[in-house]
Amino acid sequence: MTIETTQKPQKVAINGVDVPTFVATLGVVGQQPDIAKFTFRANGEWLSGTHSRTAFPGFFGAMAEQQHRQPHSIDGDHPQVLCGTDNGVTPVEMLLAGLSACITAGIGNIASIRQVKLTSVETTVEGDINLNGILGLDKGVRNGFSGVRATFRIKGDAPDEVLEQIVQQSVARSAVFDVLTNGVPVTVAAIAN
């Protein structure tokens, strides 16, 4: 009688994700959980009217201060119909973009770990807001979104049910989805000069 052993094929980089490094990182973090504690930062500056700029100078992660490879910033503003100058997207649009980007990143990583080659991922994220709340005209209306809808169109070399599972796993692991659906304590300090 012969005993045959079968080996799983090595996972390879796919979809722009270095899967062997990702798998190794998971192993290291599993053995040293403090590596996974991160603090992200955003530094904003008012420019004029409703126009502001937010820069991302760096972050703390992997037990050390980290810098981005290049400077990043986003301009925020309101459109003219909301008394702005339309020099950037609205803050609530940034929130929708954050949800889209977070889940899409997860889809890329999860598909790659599963060795599913993606051909496209397209998102549509919409949020409904009644400005009577922000404007102080109706105290019964909340200031933020009353609802958010996200649609992910995914194509790849796996059956539809596997692609749908990848999206659902990404939603389940999304930090932005978690913050939006479970809330998070926020503290605000005002320092006047």
Side-chain angles (χ1 to χ4, degrees):
M1 177 155 123
T2 17
I3 298 175
E4 288 185 35
T5 59
T6 57
Q7 290 184 329
K8 286 184 175 181
Q10 285 281 36
K11 295 192 183 237
V12 297
I14 187 171
N15 303 319
V17 176
D18 181 349
V19 176
T21 299
F22 189 19
V23 170
T25 300
L26 291 173
V28 170
V29 173
Q31 293 182 1
Q32 195 172 3
D34 283 348
I35 290 175
K37 295 179 180 176
F38 278 63
T39 299
F40 291 99
R41 300 181 191 101
N43 295 341
E45 172 186 20
W46 171 75
L47 299 174
S48 176
T50 58
H51 185 199
S52 66
R53 181 166 295 131
T54 304
F56 306 90
F59 56 94
F60 179 86
M63 302 176 74
E65 286 296 324
Q66 306 287 337
Q67 295 297 314
H68 290 286
R69 289 187 333 176
Q70 62 189 27
H72 297 286
S73 65
I74 315 171
D75 278 29
D77 201 350
H78 290 173
Q80 290 178 328
V81 70
L82 294 176
C83 302
T85 52
D86 209 12
N87 285 309
V89 296
T90 65
V92 291
E93 288 172 304
M94 288 183 209
L95 185 70
L96 298 176
L99 180 62
S100 173
C102 190
I103 294 174
T104 300
I107 289 169
N109 280 338
I110 293 163
S112 299
I113 287 291
R114 292 185 181 194
Q115 297 289 273
V116 171
K117 182 174 177 38
L118 296 173
T119 53
S120 71
V121 178
E122 298 174 0
T123 68
T124 302
V125 185
E126 298 176 318
D128 301 316
I129 193 167
N130 181 338
L131 297 182
N132 283 309
I134 292 173
L135 297 173
L137 299 174
D138 186 342
K139 295 193 186 320
V141 173
R142 69 179 296 170
N143 293 335
F145 287 128
S146 60
V148 174
R149 294 169 304 286
T151 303
F152 291 83
R153 290 171 196 80
I154 179 172
K155 295 179 185 175
D157 68 355
D160 289 351
E161 58 273 3
V162 171
L163 296 172
E164 290 167 9
Q165 289 169 358
I166 290 169
V167 173
Q168 292 308 314
Q169 185 179 356
S170 180
V171 170
R173 294 286 166 249
S174 168
V176 176
F177 182 84
D178 175 75
V179 168
L180 285 173
T181 58
N182 294 314
V184 64
V186 177
T187 57
V188 177
I191 302 169
N193 290 336

